[in-house]
Amino acid sequence: MKNLNRSICIKLIESIFNNLTKEKKLEPVRITGEFYQTFNEEIIPNFYYLFQKIQTEVVFSNSFYEGCITLTPKPNKDNIRNIN
């Protein structure tokens, strides 16, 4: 089990960006992993500041409580269910 209370460091954010596949799109804005990898030098300091602020103030913006569910049909599979 991972420790969710550990401090966020820049190396951790870099590692997450580097492990994204180029095609993977992060919801809900659908920005690809390639975007994060290309602009990591500009983006990582902003993420780091955000996580530090959350960690010290323990305050989340309302958008942290929102979610988006997307149903994605599997290719080559009949997606229509007969419910009787």
Side-chain angles (χ1 to χ4, degrees):
M1 184 172 178
K2 295 191 177 197
N3 182 355
L4 299 178
N5 293 323
R6 70 180 177 170
S7 295
I8 301 291
C9 65
I10 289 180
K11 292 287 183 195
L12 177 61
I13 299 169
E14 286 174 355
S15 172
I16 292 168
F17 283 5
N18 290 333
N19 288 319
L20 290 172
T21 61
K22 292 190 182 289
E23 299 81 29
K24 175 74 176 165
K25 294 180 181 172
L26 301 180
E27 298 291 340
V29 291
R30 298 177 185 228
I31 297 174
T32 64
E34 183 178 20
F35 175 85
Y36 287 101
Q37 291 167 354
T38 302
F39 297 103
N40 65 359
E41 289 182 20
E42 293 83 6
I43 298 172
I44 288 174
N46 293 307
F47 272 87
Y48 181 71
Y49 173 77
L50 171 67
F51 295 137
Q52 290 299 316
K53 190 160 181 77
I54 290 169
Q55 211 166 21
T56 58
E57 296 180 13
V58 193
V59 175
F60 296 96
S61 74
N62 288 337
S63 64
F64 275 76
Y65 299 101
E66 296 174 4
C68 179
I69 298 173
T70 304
L71 301 177
T72 307
K74 293 182 179 179
N76 303 322
K77 185 173 181 182
D78 183 9
N79 294 303
I80 299 174
R81 296 176 80 188
N82 186 6
I83 301 174
N84 288 326

